[in-house]
Amino acid sequence: MKTPAESTTGSRPPKTGGPGGRDSRGPGRPRGDRRVYHRRKVCRFCTDSSIKMSYKDVDTLRYFVTERGKIIPRRITGNCALHQRALTVEIKRARNIALLPFMVTES
């Protein structure tokens, strides 16, 4: 008579891939344990003090706005909280005097 451990491992081949299985890269490394290296994001305004933030400088502000006119969050741009808040104010000022669009419609 087989023990429960023998009956589950004796007839089936080991799992490869799939949820909970092992990856094909090698034994002993679960699939979710990938090491992904990201470049550390830094605030552009903190690193380079020569960049000035102004509602009149549309080219700089346009870098932080999507094609649809939405403000890109700081987790994507890498801005610090202080500069993201200031940037948001400047973008909204530029929108109010029609230098930047509130939203872009497809035509």
Side-chain angles (χ1 to χ4, degrees):
M1 183 167 190
K2 292 183 177 181
T3 61
E6 290 174 345
S7 65
T8 57
T9 59
S11 61
R12 291 186 183 172
K15 280 187 169 182
T16 57
R22 300 285 178 183
D23 202 10
S24 62
R25 287 178 286 178
R29 191 169 184 182
R31 186 173 188 191
D33 193 24
R34 293 185 194 162
R35 291 182 183 224
V36 179
Y37 294 101
H38 294 284
R39 197 183 70 138
R40 182 158 176 84
K41 295 176 184 169
V42 292
C43 179
R44 296 178 68 193
F45 300 102
C46 289
T47 56
D48 189 7
S49 60
S50 66
I51 300 174
K52 297 297 178 191
M53 196 182 315
S54 172
Y55 66 94
K56 294 180 250 179
D57 188 11
V58 178
D59 291 333
T60 303
L61 297 180
R62 215 176 275 279
Y63 182 78
F64 298 99
V65 176
T66 64
E67 294 175 348
R68 306 295 301 246
K70 298 179 84 175
I71 299 172
I72 299 174
R74 73 185 193 106
R75 66 180 164 82
I76 296 174
T77 61
N79 285 340
C80 66
L82 176 77
H83 285 118
Q84 182 71 20
R85 283 193 297 269
L87 183 72
T88 302
V89 170
E90 297 299 322
I91 289 173
K92 289 179 180 178
R93 282 182 185 158
R95 284 176 177 168
N96 278 332
I97 61 171
L99 294 176
L100 282 177
F102 280 95
M103 60 182 284
V104 177
T105 57
E106 293 181 25
S107 57

